[in-house]
């Protein structure tokens, strides 16, 4: 068991890391690994939190995500759909589906994310993919890359 610290969205013995090691394709976001995989559960449970105006990387990959919002609100792109998200919504990100989370409402956006321990590297869009995504006006307005 890992105990919640009782203040903020932190847990005892869990370090707070940058979202990713390098890059400028994300903003104001950090990561905590709550469960690294174990027993018969080959999954990681992570908590991500972005500050107001922050966003995750626009990416896709073969592995899926299961995401539960537990703090604040914002919007998410999944495929070609931009959706409002708030606490206790559960977001499915299927394999090879473009996705990006953004804290668009002037509040933090924090979520739990389940992901396979064995997974491929995320792909970022190149120019052709960006052009395809931008064919949808709502998506064009939403994405940061
Ligand atoms: Mn992802």
């Amino acid at each position: 068991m890992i105990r919640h610290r009782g203040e903020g969205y932190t847990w005892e013995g869990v370090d707070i890391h940058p979202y990713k090691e390098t890059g400028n394709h994300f903003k104001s976001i950090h990561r905590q690994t709550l469960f690294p995989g174990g027993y018969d559960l080959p999954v990681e449970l992570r908590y991500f939190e972005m500050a107001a105006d922050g966003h995750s990387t626009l990416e896709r990959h073969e592995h899926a995500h299961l995401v539960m919002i537990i703090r604040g609100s914002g919007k998410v792109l999944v495929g070609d759909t931009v959706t409002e998200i708030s606490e206790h919504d559960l977001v499915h990100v299927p394999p090879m589906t473009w996705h990006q989370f953004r804290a668009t409402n002037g509040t933090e956006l924090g979520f739990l994310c389940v992901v396979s321990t064995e997974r491929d590297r995320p792909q970022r869009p190149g120019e052709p993919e960006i052009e395809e995504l931008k064919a949808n006006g709502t998506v064009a307005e939403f994405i940061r890359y």
Side-chain angles (χ1 to χ4, degrees), residues 59 61 63 65 99:
E59 64 179 29
H61 34 65
H63 60 275
H65 293 307
H99 56 285

Side-chain angles (χ1 to χ4, degrees), residues 38-56:
Y39 316 114
D40 64 337
L41 296 172
V43 293
E44 293 180 17
L45 178 65
R46 300 92 53 86
Y47 176 70
F48 292 94
E49 188 175 300
M50 57 194 75
D53 285 336
H55 61 82
S56 63

Side-chain angles (χ1 to χ4, degrees), residues 5-6 22-23 34-35 42 45 50 89 99 116 127 133-134 139:
R5 283 189 206 273
T22 57
L34 302 179
F35 180 73
L45 178 65
M50 57 194 75
D89 287 338
H99 56 285
S116 178
E127 269 312 311
L133 284 159
K134 281 184 165 177
V139 175

Side-chain angles (χ1 to χ4, degrees), residues 42-92:
V43 293
E44 293 180 17
L45 178 65
R46 300 92 53 86
Y47 176 70
F48 292 94
E49 188 175 300
M50 57 194 75
D53 285 336
H55 61 82
S56 63
T57 305
L58 174 60
E59 64 179 29
R60 69 179 178 185
H61 34 65
E62 293 288 353
H63 60 275
H65 293 307
L66 197 54
V67 170
M68 178 164 280
I69 312 305
I70 63 168
R71 182 176 201 181
S73 63
K75 287 183 181 170
V76 65
L77 168 73
V78 178
D80 56 5
T81 306
V82 177
T83 311
E84 291 277 353
I85 43 175
S86 59
E87 287 172 18
H88 309 138
D89 287 338
L90 183 65
V91 179
H92 288 212

